[in-house]
Amino acid sequence: MRINLKSRKMEKILKRAKLQGALGAICILVAGATYFINGEPEFLKIVRVLAWLLAFIFLYYAIANVQRLSGSNVFTIFKYTYNAVLLALLCSIALYVIDKSFLGLIDIGMSFLLLGVAIAWIVINFKLRADTGCVFFAVYAVLLATKVAVNFLHGMLGVLTPALITSGVIKCIGVANALSEIVLPAVLLAAWLGIKSFGDSQDPWR
């Protein structure tokens, strides 16, 4: 009887995690779709911000539920990451208020902060693959890692050897980035919907 109750409880948490994760991915998809819509730029920016905020909330609870079911530390990593981001943002605001000449330094710091967040999110998705067994999380992580690496290399080459960055290269990267705004969240949505169960795993990502 106790086993049945525990099984039902876990099943409810699983369904909740799948729904919350799927809604988070849909919100990211909506945010990406705004880049392809002709409309008032300021309005589209507001839509993007709201969509990302909702995505964060849904994914926060989805990943928390994954940790409850799997016993891994995936939500702990997620929590440490957003705490670090909040701290960095507060420090940046404080520096800007103290002296506006720090703006250039803040811009550089934000670039590295975004890179750090992207790396943490890649690690989280590899851990989600290990926890759930759903390969789409790994596919998403690899695609995102490729996008981050290409854009980082593009930025570095633009600073060190700008002659190598031709108009053709810029156009290709622009098209790839635009497509990724739809493809990446679509893969993430497939990952959350593809979760079947949780079980013990010897995967090193756990």
Side-chain angles (χ1 to χ4, degrees):
M1 183 67 177
R2 288 182 179 179
I3 294 175
N4 288 334
L5 287 174
K6 184 178 180 180
S7 178
R8 288 178 183 177
K9 182 179 179 181
M10 291 182 69
E11 187 177 342
K12 286 181 180 180
I13 297 173
L14 172 60
K15 289 180 179 179
R16 198 180 306 144
K18 288 179 65 174
L19 177 61
Q20 291 163 338
L23 289 173
I26 289 171
C27 288
I28 298 175
L29 186 60
V30 169
T34 59
Y35 290 104
F36 299 89
I37 298 174
N38 291 323
E40 186 64 35
E42 293 303 318
F43 173 73
L44 292 176
K45 284 181 182 179
I46 294 172
V47 172
R48 274 195 293 274
V49 170
L50 291 175
W52 275 105
L53 285 174
L54 286 173
F56 173 82
I57 293 170
F58 285 129
L59 291 172
Y60 176 97
Y61 288 106
I63 295 173
N65 281 321
V66 169
Q67 181 161 309
R68 287 178 64 191
L69 290 168
S70 67
S72 72
N73 64 342
V74 63
F75 179 67
T76 304
I77 297 173
F78 183 84
K79 188 165 57 175
Y80 284 155
T81 300
Y82 80 72
N83 283 335
V85 170
L86 286 176
L87 180 60
L89 290 174
L90 289 173
C91 289
S92 298
I93 294 170
L95 284 173
Y96 183 75
V97 171
I98 292 170
D99 191 341
K100 291 182 174 56
S101 64
F102 284 121
L103 184 59
L105 181 63
I106 292 172
D107 286 339
I108 295 173
M110 287 298 106
S111 298
F112 283 100
L113 177 64
L114 289 174
L115 177 62
V117 169
I119 292 172
W121 185 234
I122 290 167
V123 170
I124 286 170
N125 277 277
F126 274 123
K127 290 186 74 65
L128 286 171
R129 200 281 310 166
D131 290 341
T132 65
C134 184
V135 71
F136 282 113
F137 282 113
V139 173
Y140 173 82
V142 170
L143 290 174
L144 180 58
T146 303
K147 176 182 177 179
V148 171
V150 169
N151 281 282
F152 181 77
L153 182 61
H154 174 226
M156 293 300 292
L157 289 175
V159 173
L160 300 175
T161 54
L164 294 176
I165 308 300
T166 64
S167 59
V169 171
I170 294 173
K171 185 176 180 179
C172 287
I173 292 177
V175 171
N177 281 331
L179 290 174
S180 71
E181 296 293 341
I182 299 298
V183 174
L184 283 174
V187 174
L188 185 61
L189 176 60
W192 281 105
L193 293 176
I195 296 175
K196 300 299 181 184
S197 62
F198 293 82
D200 294 331
S201 171
Q202 299 301 317
D203 195 296
W205 280 102
R206 294 195 73 186

